[in-house]
Amino acid sequence: MNALLRWLFDLLVRMLRTVDLPLLGALLALMGIGLAVLYSAGAETPHLVMAQGARFAVGLVAMWGLSRIPPTRLRHWSPLVYGVSLLPLLLVLAIGQGKHGNHWINLGFFYFQPSEVIKLSLPMMLAWFLQREPLPPNFRVVVASGVLIAVPFGLILLQPDFGTGMLVASSGVFALFLAGLSWWWFGAAVAGVSAVAPVAWLFMLRPYQKDRILTFLNPESDPLGAGWNIIQSKIAIGAGGMTGKGWGQGSQSHLDYLPEHTTDFIFAVLSEEFGWIGVATVLALYLFVIGRCLWIAAEARDGYARLLAGSLGLAFFVYVIVNGGMISGMLPVVGVPMPLLSYGGTSAVSLLAGLGLVMAVGAHRPRHGG
């Protein structure tokens, strides 16, 4: 029996050799909190929790598998992975399904969202491209990088899915930022967006997207229509106070006042039931995950690994900021989930897979004193 236990322990140690245990611990804590809040938000039905738990299991397996791949091999595969990941973005435009467009492909046993894959392949591609060029990037490199970002961003906008497109584009922009891109480029980008905003409003945005922006500016102008989500979300956040109403006692979700309370607005449910203490705990876990990713990036062995881990960590930061701003009325509603809290399959798996890439960088970083 002792020999069997030692063998099992040695096997577990070998399996976890490439896994960053502090990062894994924070992720498991977030997943546990997410499942607990989902159970309450989903009217205490175990089906949602079991389905999300199964997706977390798939994501953890993907995370573990990717953590074992050396960054040198990831670098070699990056152009191929990027090219292949563009194909489903084209396919979804023809056969996709969605409430406001073509976002998912029905594979029979689950719905696959192609834009989630590009969240991994675009940082890989930008890291591969930028580490081959002299840094900080010059005009030619920035333009070429912009094309690599614009292709998937444009395909996602055609679905249309502005929220996901923004997240994808931000991961590429972060790679450029970490490569030393001058600040004046970002100023020029802001000026360019401001210049084309009137044209986009008149000719590019769909009616429901315009409603989201108008609702963001003045949700009380249509309290029973477009402004309902934000108003009810603010009520839920404010009702939580310091300690919250208690697990399963959130009236906004249980009485169906708060729409999308298992997906985009689940953080409002957490705020109502666990109060500021619960919110601060979750935000502290998020900050730890982001900080750990950036620490791994700083300790990386080469430019590719550093850019990959850093851009994925900062993209995680954007998830948290956008969803938090969205449910509190500080940003327009763009359909961005809260990482590891919101109910959803492809997003949870892709997020954990991306952190597996970060762990791969950490597992193969130089060992000081070795």
Side-chain angles (χ1 to χ4, degrees):
M1 179 61 70
N2 290 336
L4 177 61
L5 291 176
R6 282 198 300 270
W7 180 81
L8 291 174
F9 178 76
D10 291 340
L11 177 62
L12 180 63
V13 170
R14 288 197 297 271
M15 290 181 63
L16 296 178
R17 187 170 295 163
T18 57
V19 174
D20 187 87
L21 294 180
L23 183 54
L24 176 62
L27 295 174
L28 291 175
L30 285 169
M31 284 185 275
I33 294 171
L35 292 176
V37 178
L38 180 62
Y39 180 75
S40 174
E44 300 183 0
T45 55
H47 170 71
L48 290 178
V49 176
M50 293 175 64
Q52 187 73 347
R55 291 159 176 165
F56 283 159
V58 173
L60 287 171
V61 171
M63 183 182 71
W64 172 76
L66 290 172
S67 73
R68 300 177 62 84
I69 303 176
T72 52
R73 189 172 300 173
L74 291 172
R75 182 174 63 226
H76 178 73
W77 290 347
S78 292
L80 176 62
V81 173
Y82 174 79
V84 171
S85 66
L86 293 177
L87 300 179
L89 290 179
L90 294 170
L91 184 62
V92 75
L93 297 176
I95 65 171
Q97 303 176 14
K99 183 178 179 181
H100 293 294
N102 302 333
H103 303 154
W104 300 281
I105 298 175
N106 187 354
L107 298 180
F109 53 98
F110 77 100
Y111 285 87
F112 169 65
Q113 190 172 1
S115 56
E116 294 294 333
V117 180
I118 204 72
K119 290 179 183 177
L120 306 182
S121 63
L122 180 60
M124 291 175 64
M125 183 64 192
L126 263 295
W128 174 86
F129 175 69
L130 291 171
Q131 61 89 30
R132 297 162 59 93
E133 302 291 338
L135 299 181
N138 56 31
F139 180 80
R140 177 188 62 82
V141 173
V142 173
V143 172
S145 300
V147 172
L148 292 174
I149 297 170
V151 171
F153 178 67
L155 291 174
I156 295 171
L157 287 186
L158 291 176
Q159 296 180 11
D161 189 349
F162 178 77
T164 301
M166 179 187 63
L167 292 175
V168 168
S170 67
S171 66
V173 171
F174 283 136
L176 279 167
F177 170 73
L178 294 172
L181 184 65
S182 175
W183 281 102
W184 75 264
W185 278 100
F186 295 100
V190 171
V193 170
S194 301
V196 302
V199 177
W201 179 267
L202 293 174
F203 302 107
M204 297 175 63
L205 294 182
R206 297 194 175 191
Y208 77 92
Q209 293 172 323
K210 293 181 180 180
D211 287 342
R212 288 177 173 178
I213 296 174
L214 294 174
T215 300
F216 160 67
L217 296 174
N218 185 18
E220 286 74 18
S221 63
D222 188 10
L224 299 180
W228 178 265
N229 289 19
I230 292 300
I231 292 173
Q232 297 304 317
S233 178
K234 288 181 177 179
I235 292 173
I237 295 171
M242 180 61 68
T243 59
K245 293 182 176 180
W247 185 40
Q249 303 301 313
S251 58
Q252 293 301 106
S253 59
H254 285 268
L255 297 179
D256 290 331
Y257 286 109
L258 183 64
E260 309 293 341
H261 50 266
T262 61
T263 52
D264 293 346
F265 285 87
I266 196 170
F267 200 65
V269 178
L270 180 141
S271 301
E272 183 180 23
E273 297 189 355
F274 296 95
W276 172 244
I277 293 176
V279 170
T281 300
V282 171
L283 291 179
L285 288 170
Y286 282 141
L287 287 174
F288 179 83
V289 170
I290 297 163
R292 187 69 179 176
C293 291
L294 295 179
W295 180 84
I296 290 173
E299 295 289 315
R301 136 175 336 195
D302 57 34
Y304 171 84
R306 188 177 304 112
L307 293 174
L308 177 61
S311 58
L312 289 172
L314 291 174
F316 188 96
F317 170 75
V318 172
Y319 265 98
V320 177
I321 291 297
V322 172
N323 184 272
M326 185 180 75
I327 63 122
S328 61
M330 299 177 66
L331 292 173
V333 177
V334 291
V336 173
M338 185 60 87
L340 303 179
L341 293 188
S342 297
Y343 181 78
T346 314
S347 61
V349 173
S350 67
L351 179 67
L352 291 171
L355 292 170
L357 296 176
V358 176
M359 289 183 182
V361 172
H364 298 86
R365 66 179 183 270
R367 304 299 178 180
H368 300 296

